[in-house]
Amino acid sequence: LAKTTQPISMDSYEGQEVNITCSHNNIATNDYITWYQQFPSQGPRFIIQGYKTKVTNEVASLFIPADRKSSTLSLPRVSLSDTAVYYCLVGDMKGGSNYQLIWGAGTKLIIKP
Amino acid sequence: DGGITQSPKYLFRKEGQNVTLSCEQNLNHDAMYWYRQDPGQGLRLIYYSQIVNDFQKGDIAEGYSVSREKKESFPLTVTSAQKNPTAFYLCASSPIAGGRDEQFFGPGTRLTVL
């Protein structure tokens, strides 16, 4: 069963690139890695998803090494509005109707002016 | 607009009472989920449903019950057997069940037991 571990908190400054790493040593072959952003008292919002190598979209990049035991969410040129909690999710498909979704505890990112 | 709605936003309950949280989606998604979030913590899966009339227990199902009689609706009942029900409850849906699909979340219901 995959377990995800991520830093509790991080801080950075406006305009900087921020990298948040998630460790998932026991990731299974069929698992995908997904990152979500959550603001206080709101539901999480999808940021990016990947399986291996690198994925990029309009808001972030996701780097996954060949062994897939970790992943790094990269946020380019952050702004104050990026202050939020970021969650790593590993999908553990055990086949058919039996599966689990393993959420990390979240990384609280604080962006300073 | 397509999306997920949860009601009510805030809910207060006396100890020993059952309470039902509503979750509706118009995204035509097959899969729906209920999560619990405690202050400063991550999401824990309560129940999930892959298709109508089917649902499975998640990590913390004790004291909760669900039904999935319609594709668009997945209500969660917090029973009196749930010893510490005060929390933020999130409903989500995805096109199919599992970790490969983006989950779309509702705005959440904050339940407080008095």
Side-chain angles (χ1 to χ4, degrees), chain A residues 29-34 36 38-46 49 51 85 87 89-93 96-106, chain B residues 9-10 31-33 35 37 40-45 48-50 54 56-59 88 90 97-108 110:
Chain A
T29 303
N30 293 333
D31 288 348
Y32 277 65
I33 300 156
T34 313
Y36 288 82
Q38 186 180 30
F39 297 110
S41 298
Q42 295 185 25
R45 185 177 66 176
F46 174 90
Q49 182 183 77
Y51 182 79
V85 179
Y87 290 97
L89 167 65
V90 174
D92 185 7
M93 298 292 288
S97 62
N98 185 18
Y99 73 96
Q100 289 184 316
L101 299 171
I102 310 302
W103 289 80
Chain B
K9 188 173 179 64
Y10 299 95
M32 296 187 75
Y33 314 80
Y35 292 95
Q37 187 173 37
Q41 298 189 30
L43 282 71
R44 291 187 289 170
L45 184 64
Y48 64 92
S49 169
Q50 297 184 94
D54 177 75
Q56 306 290 334
K57 292 182 179 180
D59 301 322
F88 189 48
L90 288 159
R100 299 189 186 191
D101 273 345
E102 172 185 351
Q103 293 184 43
F104 293 79
F105 284 83
R110 191 168 299 279

Side-chain angles (χ1 to χ4, degrees), chain A:
Chain A
L1 184 65
K3 177 180 178 181
T4 58
T5 304
Q6 46 183 132
I8 295 173
S9 65
M10 295 178 66
D11 56 22
S12 186
Y13 292 90
E14 283 191 290
Q16 298 295 306
E17 178 184 78
V18 171
N19 296 311
I20 306 174
T21 296
C22 180
S23 172
H24 28 79
N25 290 324
N26 297 321
I27 190 169
T29 303
N30 293 333
D31 288 348
Y32 277 65
I33 300 156
T34 313
W35 285 81
Y36 288 82
Q37 176 193 56
Q38 186 180 30
F39 297 110
S41 298
Q42 295 185 25
R45 185 177 66 176
F46 174 90
I47 302 173
I48 197 166
Q49 182 183 77
Y51 182 79
K52 61 181 179 180
T53 62
K54 177 184 175 182
V55 179
T56 297
N57 62 22
E58 62 275 10
V59 298
S61 294
L62 179 60
F63 299 92
I64 305 170
D67 65 7
R68 304 203 324 124
K69 293 185 176 182
S70 66
S71 59
T72 299
L73 172 71
S74 181
L75 304 172
R77 295 183 300 281
V78 294
S79 64
L80 296 176
S81 62
D82 292 315
T83 294
V85 179
Y86 292 82
Y87 290 97
C88 168
L89 167 65
V90 174
D92 185 7
M93 298 292 288
K94 295 183 177 180
S97 62
N98 185 18
Y99 73 96
Q100 289 184 316
L101 299 171
I102 310 302
W103 289 80
T107 298
K108 185 172 184 178
L109 176 64
I110 298 174
I111 304 302
K112 302 174 183 178

